[in-house]
């Protein structure tokens, strides 16, 4: 196997949002600055959600304004509403992201809105971003399993992904939020989604709760997916998904892809340095529990 596979680094946002220790802005900036030297094309490092609901994302504007931006790297921010969109613009985010769920139960628990209501909420964000050519990425959560509704129908994932793509999202990241997916359930889901969205516009976002993230990446690779989200040091999880462990670790994904013969363009020495930094953030948190 040969070819390029991109790893989209989400550790500074999706990774840190679930850590219990209050991590200073300076540490977040240090982590992003380290990752900026690793060869990533995209790093998600901010989330303009209410600090009341996700306190770890307080100071996101300060992070974006404080990092040393590397040439060729886009710095992304999550924007759940128009206020978040405006804050992201003020902080000079290079791209933004909106997030929907493929299951009603998770949508209501996560953002207190139905799937349809969440999509309606994103419409003005995507319209505003289109007018200034700001890239918008779309996340779909619970693509195989939901902690409230059980298994997610692949057709439902395809329907939500199709809506986000039609609204203007340049890429759709498909999230195994609980980490319960298997290669078979990932394949069934992707076959449905590929019917409505070109595979080159899809990304995999797999948690390693059950130790199957790399196997699920293999299943997605076999169906043409060439972008995968990962969090350095395996940080993360989801505050609204009980039992969800961390995202699959960037260093594990990069090493796995290299073994398969794919090029990631990443400097493993820098990745390992960043992973050590990320794990120390978690370790300090655990020492205070």
């Amino acid at each position: 196997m040969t070819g390029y596979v991109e790893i989209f680094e989400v550790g500074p946002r999706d990774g840190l949002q679930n850590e219990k220790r209050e991590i200073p802005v300076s540490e977040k900036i240090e982590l992003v600055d380290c990752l900026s030297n690793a060869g990533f094309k995209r790093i998600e490092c901010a989330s303009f959600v209410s600090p009341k609901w996700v306190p770890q994302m307080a100071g996101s504007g300060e992070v974006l304004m404080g990092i040393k931006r590397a040439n060729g790297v886009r710095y992304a921010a999550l924007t759940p509403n128009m206020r978040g969109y405006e804050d992201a613009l003020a902080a000079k985010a290079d791209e933004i992201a909106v997030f929907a769920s493929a299951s009603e139960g998770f949508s209501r628990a996560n953002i207190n809105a139905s799937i349809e209501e969440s999509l309606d909420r994103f419409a003005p964000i995507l319209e505003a971003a289109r007018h200034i050519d700001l890239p918008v990425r779309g996340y779909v959560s619970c693509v195989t399993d939901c902690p409230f509704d059980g298994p997610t129908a692949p057709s439902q994932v395809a329907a939500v992904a199709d809506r986000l793509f039609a609204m203007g999202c340049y890429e759709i990241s498909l999230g195994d939020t609980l980490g319960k997916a298997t290669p078979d359930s990932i394949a069934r889901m992707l076959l449905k989604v590929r019917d409505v969205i070109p595979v080159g516009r899809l990304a995999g976002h797999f948690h390693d709760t059950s130790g199957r993230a790399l196997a699920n990446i293999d299943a997605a690779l076999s169906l043409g997916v060439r972008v995968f989200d990962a969090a350095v040091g395996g940080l993360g999880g989801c505050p609204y998904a009980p039992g969800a462990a961390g995202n699959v670790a960037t260093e594990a994904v990069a090493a796995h892809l290299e073994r398969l013969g794919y090029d990631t363009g990443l400097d493993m020495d820098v990745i390992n340095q960043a992973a050590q930094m990320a794990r120390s953030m978690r370790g300090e948190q655990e020492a205070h529990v």
Side-chain angles (χ1 to χ4, degrees):
M1 295 182 185
T2 58
Y4 174 71
V5 174
E6 182 184 358
I7 297 178
F8 189 127
E9 177 58 50
V10 299
R13 195 283 298 177
D14 195 32
L16 294 182
Q17 73 174 8
N18 207 37
E19 296 304 312
K20 292 180 181 178
R21 181 175 74 93
E22 185 175 340
I23 298 170
V25 166
S26 60
E27 289 188 28
K28 297 176 185 178
I29 290 173
E30 186 180 4
L31 178 61
V32 176
D33 284 349
C34 182
L35 290 165
S36 292
N37 297 319
F40 293 105
K41 293 181 178 179
R42 297 176 287 175
I43 301 173
E44 191 175 67
C45 53
S47 178
F48 291 95
V49 298
S50 169
K52 176 183 176 182
W53 300 112
V54 188
Q56 281 296 8
M57 290 296 100
S60 280
E62 295 173 68
V63 172
L64 277 171
M65 296 299 285
I67 58 177
K68 298 171 185 173
R69 298 185 181 229
N71 291 331
V73 182
R74 292 212 310 253
Y75 297 91
L78 206 64
T79 56
N81 49 41
M82 281 303 295
R83 178 176 176 178
Y85 168 78
E86 291 161 2
D87 288 345
L89 285 189
K92 297 181 169 52
D94 297 311
E95 72 169 68
I96 61 170
V98 295
F99 51 96
S101 172
S103 73
E104 289 290 351
F106 188 76
S107 183
R108 293 187 182 280
N110 192 30
I111 58 174
N112 196 30
S114 68
I115 295 172
E116 191 63 34
E117 288 167 343
S118 72
L119 295 171
D120 289 343
R121 189 180 295 173
F122 301 146
I125 299 174
L126 283 146
E127 181 65 15
R130 183 176 65 83
H131 283 293
I132 60 171
D133 292 325
L134 183 69
V136 184
R137 194 178 199 231
Y139 285 98
V140 182
S141 303
C142 297
V143 298
T144 62
D145 299 272
C146 170
F148 308 101
D149 300 344
T152 305
S155 58
Q156 180 65 17
V157 182
V160 175
D162 187 35
R163 287 283 299 278
L164 287 170
F165 192 62
M167 290 167 70
C169 291
Y170 77 91
E171 183 174 80
I172 307 298
S173 175
L174 301 163
D176 171 26
T177 309
L178 292 188
K180 287 189 174 182
T182 64
D184 285 346
S185 64
I186 289 293
R188 287 193 298 271
M189 178 272 298
L190 279 172
L191 287 169
K192 276 291 185 183
V193 178
R194 283 197 323 179
D195 285 343
V196 294
I197 299 175
V199 71
R201 298 298 187 94
L202 299 176
H205 183 114
F206 304 141
H207 287 201
D208 205 27
T209 315
S210 303
R212 290 191 292 266
L214 295 181
N216 292 335
I217 285 174
D218 289 346
L221 283 168
S222 72
L223 290 170
V225 177
R226 292 295 181 269
V227 178
F228 296 95
D229 299 351
V232 69
L235 291 174
C238 179
Y240 297 97
N247 296 280
V248 65
T250 302
E251 58 274 22
V253 177
H256 181 70
L257 290 170
E258 286 187 9
R259 284 194 297 270
L260 294 176
Y262 291 102
D263 174 30
T264 65
L266 298 177
D267 183 326
M268 288 305 297
D269 288 338
V270 178
I271 294 294
N272 289 328
Q273 179 186 348
Q276 185 175 359
M277 194 181 298
R279 285 192 294 268
S280 74
M281 292 178 178
R282 168 177 283 172
E284 292 174 24
Q285 174 257 308
E286 289 174 350
H288 287 78
V289 171

